[in-house]
Amino acid sequence: MSVIGTIDSVKWLTVYELIMCIINLFVLTVYAVPIKKYYRWFDFLPSAGVLAAIASVLSGDMTLLALIIESLTLLVFLCTIRRLLKPKVWTAPKKKAFRIVRSVICVCGVAPIVFALANAGVLRYNPVSDFSGMGYSKAFVAMNERLSREYPFGEWRKSTGMSAKASTSQSSKGPRKTKTSICIIKR
């Protein structure tokens, strides 16, 4: 997936997931590239991420995408809780090897966020339909039922009769024009 496609996939995130991603990216970036000036409010950011994760779970979002982001948020919180409980002035690691290891760990922490963004639409709204065990007519009816249930926009709903008002108003106007749909069914 391209960079623009990854950025465009933000539309598949809920508000809570977006808040958790922003907080996690900010915290991991600051830990990878340490800042010189200490801010106490920074220690509370992972806690805000956990609150967003709790709100996401309470709102009923238990998709794989949400679970990936929530688990990363919990991991970031558990790794930074020591600074929340025992605040100390920010100091950059003195050993170069430790700084490199910490930066690599932070980059590894960003990887699940990038994966979640790259596959957000697939992880959230692409259930697998396997109609290969059905005959052609049964598979067509099953696909039609699924699309009429899941497709949110007008023409499919109108042509399948999902809206009673649309079908009665169309029948009074005379013959209606329908679009032909083609479904590919594995055999």
Side-chain angles (χ1 to χ4, degrees):
M1 178 174 267
S2 68
V3 174
I4 295 175
T6 302
I7 293 170
D8 187 43
S9 65
V10 171
K11 67 184 174 191
W12 296 104
L13 299 177
T14 63
V15 174
Y16 300 120
E17 293 167 351
L18 190 59
I19 290 170
M20 287 184 285
C21 283
I22 290 170
I23 289 172
N24 289 336
L25 285 173
F26 184 70
V27 169
L28 291 171
T29 302
V30 169
Y31 272 105
V33 183
I35 55 175
K36 300 293 179 189
K37 191 170 182 184
Y38 173 73
Y39 297 102
R40 176 73 175 134
W41 60 265
F42 179 76
D43 295 337
F44 291 95
L45 277 179
S47 303
V50 169
L51 291 176
I54 291 170
S56 177
V57 169
L58 291 178
S59 71
D61 189 9
M62 296 300 290
T63 60
L64 181 61
L65 177 66
L67 293 175
I68 290 171
I69 296 172
E70 290 163 358
S71 61
L72 178 66
T73 302
L74 182 63
L75 185 64
V76 168
F77 174 74
L78 291 175
C79 290
T80 59
I81 194 167
R82 184 176 55 127
R83 290 188 55 85
L84 180 67
L85 300 176
K86 294 181 182 179
K88 60 180 182 175
V89 177
W90 184 272
T91 57
K94 294 183 181 12
K95 295 182 180 177
K96 187 173 184 176
F98 184 69
R99 282 186 292 194
I100 292 171
V101 168
R102 188 166 81 174
S103 297
V104 168
I105 290 172
C106 291
V107 169
C108 290
V110 171
I113 294 174
V114 173
F115 171 77
L117 284 175
N119 298 307
V122 175
L123 291 174
R124 182 173 299 284
Y125 296 110
N126 195 9
V128 175
S129 295
D130 184 16
F131 302 128
S132 60
M134 300 179 184
Y136 178 77
S137 59
K138 287 183 181 180
F140 184 81
V141 169
M143 179 62 83
N144 190 20
E145 287 174 358
R146 175 180 167 209
L147 290 176
S148 65
R149 218 180 24 253
E150 295 176 7
Y151 191 73
F153 304 109
E155 286 302 316
W156 187 273
R157 289 197 181 268
K158 288 178 189 173
S159 67
T160 58
M162 290 300 290
S163 172
K165 187 175 183 180
S167 63
T168 56
S169 67
Q170 296 244 346
S171 62
S172 64
K173 294 178 184 176
R176 66 180 187 178
K177 298 176 184 173
T178 59
K179 294 182 179 178
T180 305
S181 300
I182 297 174
C183 292
I184 298 174
I185 302 170
K186 290 193 243 178
R187 288 249 174 188

